[in-house]
Amino acid sequence: MPKPITLRDIGNTDGQLVRLDPAEFVPLPHPYDRPDAQPPLRSLTESQRQRLDDSLDGFTALRLPRPQSRQEEEKLVRSFLAGVRRLLSRDDNWTFLGPLMLRLDYCAKCQTCAEACPIFVASGRKEIYRPTFRSELLRRIIKKYVMPGGRIWGAFQGADIDLNWHTVARLGELAYRCTLCRRCAQVCPIGIGNALLTREIRKVFSQEMGLAPVELHKLGTVQQLKTGSSTGMTPAALLDSIELMEEEVEEKTGMKFDWPVDREGADLLLIHNAGEFLSWPENPEAFAIILEKAGISYTLSSELMGYDAVNYGVWYDDVQFARIARKHAEVARKLRVKKIVIGECGHAHKALTVVADRLLAGEMNIPRESCLTLLDHIVSSGRLKLDPRRNDFPVTLHDPCNIVRLMGIVEPQRRILRKIAPRFREMSPNGVQNYCCGGGSGFAIMDGVNFPDWRSGVAGRMKFKQILEAFAGELDPSIPKYVCAPCSNCKGQLRGLLDYFDATRKCGIYYGGLAELIVNAMTDFEKPFISFDADQL
């Protein structure tokens, strides 16, 4: 039997710390109840291993290059320690110093959180994925290497961590083995979550060491600040897309109308995740139909960043976060709208409503609302003619962590589904206890090297298990089934999960947003709005 991993092993210099064995993972229901029914986990190629560090668990999210000299290793360790010191500085970390210190000082180490963590449980309870593992590493590093007298007295206080390049590299990767879902905080007797500590570690790597996943930084916030969207979509490209979507709406429904863009004085500014325009245009099309039919005064924006609610900074970097959040508020202020409504994007809800509250003040503190409460208001008002029989197929609901667990928006989407989907059934557990899709905190867009295998095989495993169980008895592929996921990021993860397990072909499982289901139930149109064609989803 392998020797159990302990915190002191993090600095070991002799190769990969943990090897994952799918046979030890939490079992999946039929038809995935045999090991050969599940895809293998890919290892790095020898060429990749020569260049990139995979010494934590054989996977890489950060794509950390291996240092080429002892001097380079020492420089990176010094840089890491400088960043940790800045975390503890009121001048450098005024936004999060208080919450950080609470989490550093008050964890009782009762381990109640461990069984709540979908990654720890799904992996077969691998010690490195225990929620307190990375948090305790950070605490001990601070105690020994940052606090006065720590190098002398640290060993007597349990701070027996050796800080070397391997420690730093593995801690950096560990920060990307947590989806920041905050399920640990949900069950903690004193409300201490490990997600904030994880994000603070990511901050050190990004803001001090210049190390962040390329999808979040270079192709994420940097590209968004430069072009207007993390997708690379420019304002001119947005206007072209809207023209195309207007034509598609007319073709699908017969409705011909111009979408409101840059309309000053409208009541609402609706900001979608721009990924919807490119990957799931039926979602913004459904919103346009609903708001037009309901007579809502709103506008879209074509201003730089005003059409993309994405803010990947919320996952790894305060500076990048602040730049984008302020721009969102500026666009709304310029249009003189009464409030911002955030489309079906979970992390945008967190960024612009919860976290931005620490940043936006005065005239920049424009009211923000979730699209789910707006849709609930429209449906319950009777402004739309709806026939639930048009949605006569099995439907289940995925609860995006940032909308449901973080913000407490639990019932609005359920009230809608009970009204328009007669075969709606809950996952178990659900609501604020629901499992993350496995793509949270940026994982859904991180497609480098072999990380997607870990994301689907481990991080998304509990979600996939929930989906299969929700549709138990109806997994025949000839029965189309719909996972309603009112979040662009979650849809990206579900797309990857269903592809990874070939679940659309094997089980007839599809996914989509909430707005599409509402339009599909509208009696104004002859043809269904939702198409159960695997090539179109």
Side-chain angles (χ1 to χ4, degrees):
M1 178 177 290
K3 181 184 171 187
I5 297 295
T6 69
L7 289 165
R8 294 183 65 181
D9 295 322
I10 197 73
N12 284 354
T13 59
D14 50 354
Q16 191 173 315
L17 194 60
V18 169
R19 295 187 185 279
L20 299 184
D21 180 358
E24 298 175 355
F25 293 172
V26 72
L28 294 175
H30 178 76
Y32 299 94
D33 48 354
R34 302 187 325 273
D36 61 355
Q38 300 174 39
L41 300 172
R42 291 172 297 164
S43 300
L44 267 62
T45 65
E46 191 53 39
S47 169
Q48 290 168 335
R49 189 171 288 117
Q50 292 292 326
R51 293 182 287 108
L52 304 173
D53 181 83
D54 69 340
S55 65
L56 176 69
D57 55 5
F59 296 87
T60 177
L62 271 172
R63 283 175 260 186
L64 283 175
R66 293 186 184 277
Q68 299 302 304
S69 65
R70 182 63 176 258
Q71 290 74 19
E72 193 175 338
E73 288 186 5
E74 292 173 352
K75 180 181 177 183
L76 287 165
V77 172
R78 286 196 302 273
S79 177
F80 169 77
L81 267 183
V84 173
R85 291 191 180 95
R86 288 163 71 94
L87 283 186
L88 305 177
S89 160
R90 188 169 301 281
D91 290 338
D92 293 321
N93 196 21
W94 59 269
T95 46
F96 291 100
L97 181 59
L100 170 63
M101 294 310 296
L102 279 173
R103 285 154 180 79
L104 286 174
D105 290 345
Y106 290 102
C107 174
K109 303 178 182 61
C110 66
Q111 302 304 326
T112 305
C113 57
E115 291 301 311
C117 174
I119 292 173
F120 176 68
V121 173
S123 71
R125 295 173 175 75
K126 288 283 181 264
E127 188 63 21
I128 59 169
Y129 301 146
R130 183 184 292 275
T132 55
F133 190 90
R134 76 181 67 81
S135 303
E136 188 59 19
L137 275 174
L138 181 62
R139 286 190 190 94
R140 294 190 184 192
I141 289 170
I142 290 172
K143 191 176 289 185
K144 180 173 179 179
Y145 292 94
V146 177
M147 294 301 177
R151 291 176 191 265
I152 299 173
W153 303 108
F156 300 101
Q157 299 171 338
D160 48 359
I161 298 297
D162 290 329
L163 187 60
N164 55 27
W165 157 250
H166 299 279
T167 304
V168 173
R170 288 169 179 150
L171 184 59
E173 278 295 333
L174 268 179
Y176 290 93
R177 298 296 185 276
C178 165
T179 63
L180 312 185
C181 78
R182 298 181 68 257
R183 209 163 184 268
C184 54
Q186 189 78 27
V187 299
C188 177
I190 51 178
I192 299 297
N194 295 281
L196 187 133
L197 292 172
T198 301
R199 184 180 179 275
E200 294 297 280
I201 296 170
R202 294 183 182 189
K203 271 169 55 176
V204 171
F205 275 77
S206 176
Q207 295 178 198
E208 193 70 29
M209 304 169 71
L211 296 169
V214 65
E215 296 90 347
L216 300 188
H217 188 64
K218 182 179 178 181
L219 300 178
T221 57
V222 172
Q223 179 163 240
Q224 187 173 10
L225 288 162
K226 182 178 180 182
T227 68
S229 168
S230 58
T231 64
M233 176 182 277
T234 62
L238 168 79
L239 295 175
D240 287 343
S241 295
I242 288 176
E243 192 174 326
L244 286 173
M245 288 187 286
E246 287 172 340
E247 292 172 1
E248 281 189 1
V249 167
E250 183 179 4
E251 185 179 325
K252 290 177 182 175
T253 68
M255 284 181 68
K256 182 176 175 58
F257 62 99
D258 295 329
W259 294 17
V261 180
D262 300 329
R263 187 173 292 174
E264 290 189 24
D267 286 348
L268 312 175
L269 167 63
L270 174 62
I271 312 182
H272 292 289
N273 178 319
E276 302 283 359
F277 297 124
L278 297 179
S279 297
W280 304 285
E282 61 276 7
N283 182 268
E285 289 171 4
F287 269 94
I289 292 167
I290 292 168
L291 298 181
E292 178 73 14
K293 282 287 185 182
I296 301 295
S297 168
Y298 82 104
T299 187
L300 303 172
S301 169
S302 69
E303 181 126 352
L304 208 64
M305 283 183 277
Y307 51 90
D308 191 356
V310 162
N311 189 343
Y312 293 158
V314 76
W315 289 325
Y316 78 101
D317 191 302
D318 286 352
V319 178
Q320 296 294 86
F321 167 80
R323 289 168 175 159
I324 295 170
R326 286 189 61 83
K327 184 63 181 177
H328 284 149
E330 286 173 9
V331 169
R333 188 170 61 88
K334 185 176 175 183
L335 285 169
R336 297 184 291 107
V337 296
K338 294 176 181 174
K339 69 171 68 171
I340 299 172
V341 170
I342 303 160
E344 293 187 10
C345 178
H347 92 269
H349 277 66
K350 176 178 182 176
L352 199 48
T353 57
V354 179
V355 183
D357 249 8
R358 293 177 174 273
L359 178 75
L360 303 177
E363 62 179 4
M364 298 293 281
N365 194 11
I366 296 166
R368 284 92 73 191
E369 180 181 358
S370 168
C371 67
L372 299 187
T373 53
L374 176 65
L375 291 175
D376 180 34
H377 172 72
I378 291 172
V379 169
S380 62
S381 71
R383 297 187 196 187
L384 306 179
K385 297 175 184 175
L386 301 168
D387 182 354
R389 292 173 296 180
R390 294 169 68 95
N391 284 331
D392 187 20
F393 44 82
V395 174
T396 192
L397 174 66
H398 166 64
D399 289 299
C401 302
N402 290 315
I403 297 176
V404 179
R405 187 160 28 251
L406 180 66
M407 296 179 64
I409 302 175
V410 179
E411 278 300 312
Q413 58 274 40
R414 287 175 164 77
R415 277 195 292 270
I416 295 170
L417 287 175
R418 291 182 197 118
K419 193 176 182 68
I420 66 169
R423 296 170 70 183
F424 166 59
R425 76 284 311 271
E426 293 277 12
M427 295 185 193
S428 179
N430 58 66
V432 296
Q433 299 294 344
N434 198 26
Y435 287 117
C436 174
C437 63
S441 80
F443 288 4
I445 59 167
M446 289 162 55
D447 288 327
V449 200
N450 62 348
F451 189 72
D453 285 16
W454 185 88
R455 182 182 68 211
S456 293
V458 180
R461 194 173 189 85
M462 298 303 285
K463 175 53 57 183
F464 187 58
K465 181 171 180 285
Q466 276 193 298
I467 293 171
L468 294 174
E469 291 170 345
F471 292 132
E474 296 181 293
L475 287 173
D476 186 313
S478 67
I479 305 171
K481 293 161 282 290
Y482 192 91
V483 180
C484 176
C487 168
S488 186
N489 188 76
C490 298
K491 285 191 297 190
Q493 166 68 356
L494 288 175
R495 175 177 57 192
L497 262 182
L498 299 183
D499 285 349
Y500 183 78
F501 288 103
D502 197 16
T504 300
R505 186 183 67 82
K506 288 184 176 179
C507 304
I509 300 174
Y510 297 78
Y511 68 93
L514 179 61
E516 296 93 305
L517 271 177
I518 295 173
V519 174
N520 203 56
M522 291 172 67
T523 60
D524 305 69
F525 316 121
E526 183 179 343
K527 297 178 182 176
F529 188 75
I530 292 176
S531 170
F532 289 107
D533 181 342
D535 294 332
Q536 294 184 19
L537 288 178

